[in-house]
Amino acid sequence: MSDPLDYPTAGSAEAGAPASPSPRADVAIAAIGGVRFSREQVARARDILTRIYALRRAANLYPAEHPATAESVRFLGDSIRRYHAEGVEPQFTFFEGEIFLGEQLLSRESLVFDQLVRDMTAIGVGSLTFRRGMTDDELVRLTPILNADSGEIARVGGITKMAADARLGHVQMSAVRAFEEVAASVGGTREAALAVFGNAVSLIREVDRLLRSNRHISAAKVTSVADALVDNVLTNREAMLQLSGLKDYDEYTYYHSANVAVLSLALGAAVTDDRRFLSSLGIGALLHDVGKLSMGRDILAKEGPLSEAEWEVVYQHPVIGAEMVALMQGVDKSAIVTILEHHMRWDGEGYPAHESLRRQHLTSRIVAVADSYDAMTSSRVYSDPIVHDKAMEHLAESSGTALDPRLVRLFVGLMGVYPPRSVVQLSTGATGVVLAPGVNDPFLPTVRVFADADGTLIAPEDIALESAGGISVKGCLDPRRLNIEVDDYL
């Protein structure tokens, strides 16, 4: 990606700089500056989409050497190179019936080019990026791929293989990453996952220490930890999701940040396999609550209800966090946007307040889902955790208001109705811990049974409920009331 999740300039109508009772919001927005796509560049996105549509039509009607096809290639190349001359590389993403330029939703174009979106999704194209240095010959080699049907693509081994064989060079194609196509990986070990998770917790702990001494951690270190999380979520997902429920009451913010990063990356990988997008998402998720570290302990650890003045301080933590991370040289701008926006809500009713109708950034919406889930299942000074299936119910209730409904659906598919680490009672009366969601049925996970119907501990036995002949989950249990440690059975 040229610059994942690029945003228009803060002064443009599309930027939607959030209104805030504090002038610090303006500072945060200014720090996000250096944005790549201007309003005029966004408006011109339709020209490229039109040229792609025209090229596909010409290639369907005429042979590759026909002047009409050659002219369509030239027109498309000229439109793309206008962006290159302005120092940007256009990337179009096709997701859930919508088109994004970078990660800015193109609402009107999504309607006008509905068939193009359907066609791209049908053949497995998730995104197209046109790098500087692109030639018309590379566009000629791209054309047959854009016009291929799903059967032809399947015969050659998939869209990624077809793109690699075509030697597209400066035209980069990313495959659609629908969740249903992403199998849980078993490529790593629990020990490896635990080490990476521990590094993430240690990073946030170190950020807290440095901030309290008015020092800043290096962006390189944050990026290194985020990239390690990306690697392990992609290759060792089952183990990472089992670890994503680790909690520590006294270090809630540290563990919460690591958990949200893991959950966000798992959800993000269900949307795209683009590494730069996932790296930026990981950084934003890891640091999403960094603004809270500057708040007084008297607020963070207060057991009773917060006063109105204290809530005003809490409401500022996304802005403060964005300001803090903006000072770290080398951090992707989209990560700063994620920190600023993760409480803005899908319906725009969150904080910091903003006047524009611009939707939350995609990474912000992903982090919002993960943040909500982990917060609900964590023990905090002002609330007890709720059991996992109830948390999933609350996510579903927030779908379409606080949270992006499509991402909630993906999250439920990813985690199951009874997510990993859930303590559940089966229809047989036995008790166990969920190891992984069902492959085809979110209600039928794989469970490690450790107690029989009488509550007597037994030798642990793993049961995949999808093939267990009628055994189902009755519901989640509170492990605290059972006086058990979930990690003892993982």
Side-chain angles (χ1 to χ4, degrees), residues 9-27:
T9 54
S12 70
E14 291 88 347
S20 169
S22 165
R24 299 172 69 87
D26 296 330
V27 177

Side-chain angles (χ1 to χ4, degrees), residues 96-140:
E96 292 282 344
E98 294 180 330
I99 306 174
F100 297 81
L101 175 64
E103 287 303 328
Q104 176 154 343
L105 174 64
L106 303 177
S107 301
R108 290 188 292 270
E109 288 75 9
S110 297
L111 294 174
V112 173
F113 295 96
D114 175 71
Q115 189 59 52
L116 177 63
V117 178
R118 291 174 182 271
D119 291 346
M120 293 298 97
T121 303
I123 64 174
V125 176
S127 67
L128 281 171
T129 304
F130 301 98
R131 299 287 190 192
R132 276 170 280 190
M134 178 205 72
T135 66
D136 284 356
D137 285 341
E138 291 168 343
L139 294 179
V140 169

Side-chain angles (χ1 to χ4, degrees), residues 48 57-58 66 154 182 210 223 250 252 296 399 404 438 444 446 475 478:
I48 291 182
R57 186 171 183 275
H66 193 279
V182 184
L210 292 175
T223 301
D250 295 323
Y252 166 75
S399 176
D404 183 334
L444 296 176
T446 295
D478 188 342

Side-chain angles (χ1 to χ4, degrees), residues 240-479:
M240 291 301 291
L241 288 180
Q242 289 177 4
L243 289 174
S244 68
L246 285 174
K247 314 287 184 181
D248 188 298
Y249 181 84
D250 295 323
E251 293 192 321
Y252 166 75
T253 299
Y254 307 153
Y255 279 80
H256 173 66
S257 298
N259 287 333
V260 170
V262 171
L263 294 170
S264 296
L265 287 170
L267 181 54
V271 174
T272 180
D273 58 3
D274 187 280
R275 292 299 299 255
R276 186 168 177 182
F277 173 91
L278 293 174
S279 177
S280 178
L281 172 62
I283 294 170
L286 269 173
L287 301 180
H288 79 284
D289 266 350
V290 70
K292 284 187 175 179
L293 300 179
S294 67
M295 293 165 49
R297 300 283 187 183
D298 55 331
I299 295 179
L300 289 177
K302 185 174 181 178
E303 296 188 8
L306 299 181
S307 67
E308 184 175 340
E310 288 168 334
W311 272 117
E312 287 301 317
V313 174
V314 172
Y315 289 148
Q316 286 298 310
H317 84 265
V319 176
I320 295 170
E323 288 178 327
M324 294 160 63
V325 177
L327 296 175
M328 297 169 56
Q329 295 295 320
V331 172
D332 202 306
K333 290 180 289 299
S334 64
I336 303 171
V337 175
T338 303
I339 296 166
L340 181 69
E341 290 189 347
H342 71 279
H343 281 300
M344 276 189 180
R345 293 175 48 114
W346 166 259
D347 57 13
E349 295 298 319
Y351 61 90
H354 59 110
E355 297 176 357
S356 171
L357 295 179
R358 175 182 56 80
R359 188 180 297 175
Q360 267 180 305
H361 198 282
L362 178 57
T363 53
S364 308
R365 287 179 268 150
I366 290 173
V367 170
V369 174
D371 182 30
S372 298
Y373 173 78
D374 189 70
M376 286 189 287
T377 56
S378 299
S379 180
R380 294 171 285 175
V381 292
Y382 49 84
S383 68
D384 291 328
I386 62 176
V387 291
H388 294 73
D389 56 348
K390 294 298 182 185
M392 300 305 276
E393 286 183 19
H394 286 311
L395 289 183
E397 292 167 358
S398 299
S399 176
T401 53
L403 303 174
D404 183 334
R406 293 166 303 175
L407 292 176
V408 170
R409 288 196 300 271
L410 279 176
F411 191 74
V412 174
L414 173 74
M415 301 290 284
V417 174
Y418 310 101
R421 300 183 66 90
S422 301
V423 177
V424 295
Q425 185 175 44
L426 303 182
S427 56
T428 61
T431 303
V433 174
V434 173
L435 300 179
V439 176
N440 300 306
D441 191 331
F443 287 90
L444 296 176
T446 295
V447 179
R448 179 162 292 165
V449 176
F450 60 81
D452 62 19
D454 296 325
T456 302
L457 295 178
I458 61 174
E461 177 188 5
D462 294 353
I463 301 177
L465 298 187
E466 285 186 316
S467 57
I471 301 176
S472 60
V473 175
K474 291 179 64 176
C476 287
L477 303 172
D478 188 342

